[in-house]
């Protein structure tokens, strides 16, 4: 019985990580729950979890809803998911440091495009801060998730 509980906990942990990070919204540190992008990217592309793409689309939509970005993060995720379909050229499963470089490219390009929605010095500073903050937190979060959830 306890073994089944831990098996269940391991299976739902990626989804719980997304829900918790999305729910911990703070204006400066986690605007619109954007930190949920880290487990969304990690469990959709690096350590693929069943049903995570559908769950990720839902939570990208919720990030868009909270951030009033009108399907921006959902479209960025779907474009990245389509690009990831070319596994002959891109192999994120074997990338160094839990695929930090592809994540930085994905998130940096998204922040760069989002910056032009309302171009001002404040928006540029906020986009730069968000890019640096989320990119710095990517490796510790993914290392923690890897330690907590050993690969099957």
């Amino acid at each position: 019985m306890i073994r089944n509980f831990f098996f269940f906990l391991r299976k739902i942990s990626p989804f719980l990580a997304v829900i918790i990070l999305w729910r911990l919204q703070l204006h400066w540190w986690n605007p619109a729950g954007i930190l949920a992008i880290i487990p969304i990217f990690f469990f959709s592309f690096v350590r693929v979890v069943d049903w995570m793409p559908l769950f990720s689309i839902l939570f990208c939509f919720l990030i868009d809803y909270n951030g009033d970005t009108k399907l921006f993060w959902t479209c960025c995720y779907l474009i990245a998911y389509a690009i990831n379909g070319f596994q002959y050229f891109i192999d994120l499963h074997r990338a160094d440091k839990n695929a930090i470089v592809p994540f930085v490219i994905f998130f940096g390009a998204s922040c760069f495009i989002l910056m032009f929605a309302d171009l001002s010095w404040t928006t540029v500073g906020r986009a730069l801060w968000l890019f640096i903050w989320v990119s710095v937190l990517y490796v510790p979060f993914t290392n923690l998730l890897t330690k907590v959830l050993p690969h099957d």
Side-chain angles (χ1 to χ4, degrees):
M1 173 122 165
I2 292 176
R3 190 168 154 188
N4 289 338
F5 174 73
F6 284 120
F7 176 76
F8 176 73
L9 195 58
R10 269 179 75 190
K11 290 296 183 184
I12 66 164
S13 293
F15 303 102
L16 287 177
V18 172
I19 293 169
I20 290 169
L21 286 175
W22 174 76
R23 199 63 191 130
L24 292 175
Q25 300 171 32
L26 296 170
H27 178 69
W28 186 252
W29 303 106
N30 190 11
I34 196 67
L35 288 179
I37 282 290
I38 294 172
I40 285 172
F41 183 88
F42 185 67
F43 290 117
S44 292
F45 302 123
V46 182
R47 281 187 49 197
V48 179
V49 172
D50 293 337
W51 296 99
M52 188 52 116
L54 292 174
F55 191 75
S56 298
I57 291 169
L58 172 67
F59 270 86
C60 285
F61 175 77
L62 291 174
I63 290 170
D64 287 328
Y65 179 75
N66 285 343
D68 197 27
T69 51
K70 297 184 182 34
L71 297 178
F72 177 76
W73 290 105
T74 307
C75 290
C76 289
Y77 174 79
L78 290 172
I79 290 169
Y81 194 78
I83 291 171
N84 189 46
F86 299 112
Q87 281 296 319
Y88 299 112
F89 306 111
I90 304 167
D91 190 13
L92 297 180
H93 303 287
R94 295 188 181 120
D96 293 337
K97 296 180 183 158
N98 295 329
I100 181 78
V101 173
F103 177 76
V104 166
I105 291 169
F106 161 72
F107 196 72
S110 300
C111 283
F112 183 73
I113 293 167
L114 191 58
M115 180 178 63
F116 288 106
D118 179 29
L119 193 59
S120 68
W121 287 109
T122 306
T123 307
V124 171
R126 194 170 284 162
L128 186 62
W129 161 252
L130 189 63
F131 171 72
I132 291 169
W133 178 243
V134 174
S135 298
V136 165
L137 288 179
Y138 180 78
V139 172
F141 277 8
T142 56
N143 283 341
L144 178 68
L145 292 170
T146 304
K147 298 284 189 237
V148 170
L149 303 169
H151 197 58
D152 293 332

